[in-house]
């Protein structure tokens, strides 16, 4: 990593270690989805699990014991419905105890709800949930950092469906206009919205060209290949460069659980106890397949 | 296919929307259905009339604007989605593209009130205040799932726009027998007769108000419940009549900000008509971002649940004349 490090808790992880962490994150997500009685946005959590792992355990220069450090990298979850994936990734990074999530998720007065709330949960950078809001917020933070001459980055995670919102492109234009090379967007390109597949109702292609046409530095990666994700982070342009970067992560909605993969029924849902076992077995099986 | 049900049963208002629109598609060849990626309940219409169905993806503003464009050309567009996003993200489109030219666009959606446990981005709690402020807009909030179908039907012949608000719409208590009430946009429904006080309410908490009246009846109180499902234009005559017939005691309960919704609409009529009241109790969401929790827990926490409704009605009845 090119920038300074606030990181406590050891050296950056190896790709193998990161894969283990991503597996643990998925297991914990399934556990929650199997025990919490309401719906969990499990499809878009699983598609983003490797991205979250690469960010919270490798890319983001943050210190869980010093969440207000002005030099920290900022992370804005624009696809706010993946909040629980972020909560668990943050818990695994040491921001707060995992048990708090499992024990209180979605309950009255819990800090951990369907969409992240900065007021209820310090450590989360922004309150989000309505799609199309995160990138403008990230542009504001990146502008502020520039104005103060600070050298941290601002990261933002979007859904590909979310990029249908006009505000995303308004912000994309502002980011290029203001030469925000300290801004990095990750797009979870799982090619599914809530009720349709990409290209079925909404034409996204040529997708990378759209970002390129807005003047962004475009990086395409396999969003489930940890080495690829780590490589993209390692090769980010200098913080004081002039083009914002978008890392388009090719992913599969529901990744790791065969009956959820590319299945519109699993945008959000809950697993009963029996299906939890089935899902866990599927997750194990998919790992075995990958390690062959 | 007609929807069958029994009184008091739980029914999904969403399924009523789906089947009603599919039926109306036959009768109205210019009926269009549009959605910003909230199309699960619209599958029946989509499959029957693919040429008149449009899912624009995540693009609420364009969705409402496109609906207005269709309406300019003589079509009847229904925009279906989640109300926090239709009423706020697309507010200017609703106001300047739909209301200003007075086009017959119907906006129908879910997540009105503290429902669904999504947090404050996903609760429409200011929507009725915003929609009531718009010239030409008719504003409704529906609790009874079957009534949703009736309101959509009636809206087909309306000249201007209408806003139809639902809660989550997955499990709603059937409140009225079909034909039990004369359901007409602009007319309140006396859901329960009474003479000691009137509870004005709408949407998802009508059921709760009826439960409160039932509870109070055990103590000998006769409480009227008015389902004021049309907030605009409001049924002024009914409000005047209730003041006289229920001893000048009003309680308003709603799943919306306590200021700006039905309570404010009723208070305006009271002021404008110089109606004398002995009590006016206003129960709704206070000026806070409500946090997480299930619907009932949130209503209790924020002071407009069943117990609070009963207590407020008792206060109203006990107030000095
Ligand atoms: C403005 C807005 N409209 C609608 C929704 C409801 N919603 C939540 S997720 C979603 C689909 C998002 O698709 P995408 O961005 O591709 O996310 P992913 O597939 O990664 O879950 C929708 C319609 C919302 N949260 N915000």
């Amino acid at each position: 990593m090119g920038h300074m490090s606030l990181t406590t808790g050891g050296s950056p992880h190896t790709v193998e270690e990161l894969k283990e962490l991503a597996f643990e994150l998925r297991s914990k997500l399934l556990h929650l989805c199997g025990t919490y009685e309401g719906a969990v946005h499990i499809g878009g959590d699983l598609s983003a699990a490797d991205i979250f792992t690469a960010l919270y355990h490798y890319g983001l220069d943050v210190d869980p014991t010093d969440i207000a450090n002005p030099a920290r990298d900022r992370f804005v979850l624009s696809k706010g419905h993946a909040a629980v994936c972020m909560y668990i990734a943050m818990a695994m990074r040491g921001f707060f105890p995992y048990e708090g999530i499992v024990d209180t998720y979605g309950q009255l007065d819990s800090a951990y709800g369907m969409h992240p709330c900065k007021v209820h949960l310090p450590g989360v950078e922004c309150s989000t949930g309505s799609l199309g809001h995160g990138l403008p917020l990230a542009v504001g933070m990146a502008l502020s950092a520039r104005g103060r001459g600070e050298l941290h980055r601002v990261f933002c995670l979007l859904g590909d469906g979310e990029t249908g919102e006009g505000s995303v492109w308004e912000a994309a234009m502002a980011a290029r206009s203001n030469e925000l090379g300290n801004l990095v967007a990750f797009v979870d390109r799982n090619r599914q919205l809530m009720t349709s597949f990409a290209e079925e109702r909404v034409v996204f292609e040529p997708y990378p060209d759209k970002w390129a046409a807005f003047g962004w530095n475009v990086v395409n990666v396999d969003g489930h290949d940890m080495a690829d994700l780590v490589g993209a982070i390692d090769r980010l342009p200098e913080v004081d460069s002039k083009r914002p970067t978008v890392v388009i992560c090719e992913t599969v909605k529901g990744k790791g659980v065969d009956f959820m993969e590319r299945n519109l029924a699993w945008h959000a849902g809950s697993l009963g106890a029996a299906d939890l076992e089935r899902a866990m077995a599927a997750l194990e099986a998919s790992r075995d397949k990958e390690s062959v | 296919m007609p929807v069958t049900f029994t009184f008091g049963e739980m029914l999904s208002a969403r399924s009523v929307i789906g089947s009603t629109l599919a039926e109306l598609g036959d009768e109205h060849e210019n009926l269009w259905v549009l959605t910003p990626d909230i199309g699960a309940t619209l599958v029946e219409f989509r499959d029957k009339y693919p040429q008149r169905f449009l899912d624009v993806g995540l693009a609420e503003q364009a969705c409402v604007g496109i609906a207005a464009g269709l309406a300019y050309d003589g079509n009847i567009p229904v925009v279906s989605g989640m109300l926090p996003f239709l009423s706020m993200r697309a507010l200017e489109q609703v106001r300047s593209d739909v209301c200003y030219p007075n086009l017959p666009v119907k906006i129908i959606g879910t997540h009105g009130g503290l429902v669904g446990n999504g947090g404050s981005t996903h609760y429409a709690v200011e929507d009725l205040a915003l929609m009531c402020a718009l010239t030409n807009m008719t504003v409704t909030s529906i609790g009874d799932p079957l009534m949703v179908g009736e309101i959509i039907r009636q809206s087909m012949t309306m000249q201007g726009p209408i806003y139809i608000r639902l809660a989550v719409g997955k499990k709603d208590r059937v409140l009225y027998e079909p034909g039990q009430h004369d359901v007409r946009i602009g007319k309140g429904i006396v859901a329960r007769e009474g003479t000691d006080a009137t509870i004005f309410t709408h949407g998802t908490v009508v059921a709760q108000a009826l439960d409160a009246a039932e509870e109070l009846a055990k103590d000998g109180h006769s409480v009227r419940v008015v389902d004021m499902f049309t907030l605009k234009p409001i049924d002024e005559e009914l409000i005047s009549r209730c003041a006289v017939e229920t001893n000048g005691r009003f309680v308003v309960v709603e799943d919306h900000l306590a200021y700006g919704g039905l309570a404010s609409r009723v208070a305006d009529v009271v002021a404008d008509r110089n109606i004398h009241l002995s009590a006016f109790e206003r129960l709704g969401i206070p000026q806070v971002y409500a946090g997480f929790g299930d619907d009932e827990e949130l209503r209790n926490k924020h002071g407009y649940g069943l117990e609070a409704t009963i207590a407020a009605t008792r206060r109203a009845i006990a107030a000095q004349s």
Side-chain angles (χ1 to χ4, degrees):
Chain A
M1 280 173 289
H3 50 308
M4 62 170 276
S5 182
L6 305 170
T7 302
T8 56
S11 53
H13 293 278
T14 64
V15 166
E16 281 314 309
E17 285 167 341
L18 290 168
K19 283 187 186 172
E20 276 308 308
L21 288 165
F23 180 82
E24 185 184 334
L25 174 54
R26 286 197 168 87
S27 306
K28 288 184 150 89
L29 279 167
L30 291 179
H31 176 78
L32 192 95
C33 191
T35 50
Y36 174 62
E37 60 184 28
V40 173
H41 287 94
I42 192 71
D45 288 333
L46 290 170
S47 68
D50 298 300
I51 302 169
F52 273 111
T53 301
L55 286 174
Y56 271 102
H57 294 280
Y58 187 84
L60 287 176
D61 191 18
V62 288
D63 177 356
T65 65
D66 185 11
I67 57 173
N69 191 319
R72 72 192 186 281
D73 283 345
R74 309 296 197 271
F75 175 72
V76 178
L77 180 62
S78 197
K79 51 171 273 187
H81 57 284
V84 74
C85 193
M86 177 174 73
Y87 303 151
I88 297 174
M90 290 178 79
M92 288 170 62
R93 183 69 175 76
F95 279 84
F96 24 72
Y98 167 65
E99 289 68 31
I101 305 170
V102 185
D103 294 346
T104 73
Y105 181 77
Q107 291 173 22
L108 188 66
D109 294 330
S110 175
Y112 308 101
M114 194 187 289
H115 302 96
C117 175
K118 182 188 170 55
V119 179
H120 290 127
L121 189 60
V124 163
E125 297 284 359
C126 295
S127 302
T128 53
S130 175
L131 296 168
H133 287 244
L135 197 59
L137 296 172
V139 167
M141 292 177 177
L143 259 178
S144 171
R146 269 289 156 83
R148 295 197 178 131
E150 289 170 359
L151 289 178
H152 58 267
R153 287 195 169 92
V154 181
F155 292 84
C156 179
L157 175 62
L158 302 106
D160 55 349
E162 178 184 7
T163 62
E165 296 285 358
S167 51
V168 172
W169 301 102
E170 293 172 25
M173 203 154 181
R176 176 66 188 98
S177 303
N178 290 280
E179 304 187 332
L180 299 178
N182 55 349
L183 175 66
V184 185
F186 278 70
V187 176
D188 180 357
R189 180 91 171 102
N190 59 31
R191 295 171 187 259
Q192 280 179 236
L193 298 80
M194 183 151 100
T195 50
S196 72
F197 290 94
E199 313 308 309
E200 203 182 357
R201 306 255 158 214
V202 182
V203 173
F204 290 80
E205 292 294 353
Y207 195 69
D209 295 359
K210 287 193 163 74
W211 288 94
F214 274 72
W216 284 52
N217 170 38
V218 180
V219 179
N220 295 291
V221 303
D222 175 343
H224 300 308
D225 182 329
M226 200 54 81
D228 229 14
L229 285 165
V230 162
I233 291 167
D234 285 342
R235 286 188 296 275
L236 285 176
E238 290 305 313
V239 177
D240 57 5
S241 63
K242 294 190 169 174
R243 272 173 198 271
T245 294
V246 59
V247 182
I248 300 174
C249 307
E250 198 63 50
T251 56
V252 172
K253 203 156 172 172
K255 174 69 179 179
V257 180
D258 53 8
F259 62 88
M260 291 182 176
E261 288 186 0
R262 297 192 177 88
N263 182 346
L264 290 175
W266 283 101
H267 170 74
S270 52
L271 289 160
D275 281 339
L276 173 57
E277 253 177 60
R278 194 158 75 95
M280 286 295 197
L283 184 63
E284 288 285 353
S286 88
R287 172 159 75 169
D288 294 345
K289 206 164 70 191
E290 229 145 76
S291 55
V292 178
Chain B
M1 213 177 55
V3 189
T4 53
F5 78 102
T6 20
F7 182 65
E9 195 185 42
M10 302 305 251
L11 185 72
S12 143
R14 294 189 192 192
S15 70
V16 177
I17 298 175
S19 56
T20 305
L21 290 174
E23 272 172 45
L24 288 170
D26 290 328
E27 295 165 36
H28 302 271
E29 286 180 355
N30 55 351
L31 174 66
W32 280 71
V33 175
L34 298 88
T35 184
D37 193 28
I38 309 291
T41 52
L42 310 170
V43 172
E44 214 178 320
F45 186 94
R46 181 194 75 191
D47 292 347
K48 247 170 118 177
Y49 308 104
Q51 311 304 333
R52 290 188 273 140
F53 175 80
L54 184 67
D55 179 350
V56 295
L58 272 296
E60 292 79 8
Q61 300 178 45
C63 194
V64 174
I66 292 166
L70 286 163
Y72 266 118
D73 215 33
N75 297 290
I76 306 175
V78 175
V79 177
S80 176
M82 291 172 68
L83 295 179
F85 314 126
L86 293 178
S87 70
M88 295 192 287
R89 177 74 55 88
L91 178 58
E92 198 188 351
Q93 277 76 12
V94 173
R95 188 264 201 185
S96 294
D97 299 341
V98 172
C99 291
Y100 179 28
N102 199 20
L103 295 169
V105 174
K106 290 115 196 37
I107 294 169
I108 181 162
T110 58
H111 293 76
L114 298 183
V115 295
N117 202 0
S120 283
T121 53
H122 282 58
Y123 304 138
V125 300
E126 307 91 346
D127 61 324
L128 297 173
L130 297 169
M131 292 299 129
C132 284
L134 303 178
T135 299
N136 290 333
M137 183 62 105
T138 295
V139 181
T140 65
S141 167
I142 316 292
D144 179 78
L146 286 167
M147 220 168 101
V148 177
E150 180 56 30
I151 297 303
I152 295 174
R153 280 182 181 285
Q154 289 185 19
S155 76
M156 286 299 126
T157 52
M158 284 176 58
Q159 293 304 303
I162 183 169
Y163 182 79
I164 304 172
R165 180 202 220 225
L166 306 174
V168 172
K170 280 187 174 164
K171 240 170 76 180
D172 307 278
R173 195 161 105 196
V174 173
L175 302 173
Y176 315 124
E177 310 274 359
Q180 182 184 353
H181 299 287
D182 176 22
V183 174
R184 262 182 301 148
I185 294 170
K187 291 285 165 215
I189 292 175
V190 179
R192 180 185 173 112
E193 271 302 351
T195 51
D196 294 341
T198 302
I199 303 178
F200 293 98
T201 182
H202 61 83
T204 180
V205 287
V206 175
Q208 180 185 286
L210 288 167
D211 290 346
E214 185 69 30
E215 209 43 47
L216 287 158
K218 291 178 189 161
D219 301 335
H221 298 302
S222 163
V223 175
R224 179 179 293 187
V225 176
V226 170
D227 180 350
M228 199 62 104
F229 71 89
T230 312
L231 279 89
K232 190 186 167 208
I234 195 138
D235 190 345
E236 299 195 20
E237 290 306 323
L238 181 58
I239 294 171
S240 295
R241 196 149 59 77
C242 288
V244 175
E245 293 173 358
T246 67
N247 211 12
R249 281 127 218 280
F250 282 6
V251 178
V252 186
V253 189
E254 59 186 320
D255 203 355
H256 183 272
L257 290 183
Y259 288 80
L262 179 62
S264 298
R265 306 287 303 162
V266 172
D268 284 348
V269 174
V270 168
D272 291 349
R273 293 198 160 201
N274 214 0
I275 294 173
H276 175 75
L277 293 183
S278 299
F280 185 85
E281 294 279 345
R282 182 198 287 265
L283 304 186
I285 306 165
Q287 288 266 309
V288 296
Y289 291 101
F292 303 104
D294 74 29
D295 310 358
E296 198 181 324
E297 285 173 337
L298 289 174
R299 289 204 283 271
N300 290 335
K301 176 179 174 184
H302 294 292
Y304 63 105
L306 178 62
E307 291 308 318
T309 306
I310 293 170
T313 310
R314 283 191 204 285
R315 278 198 305 276
I317 293 170
Q320 299 274 319
S321 296

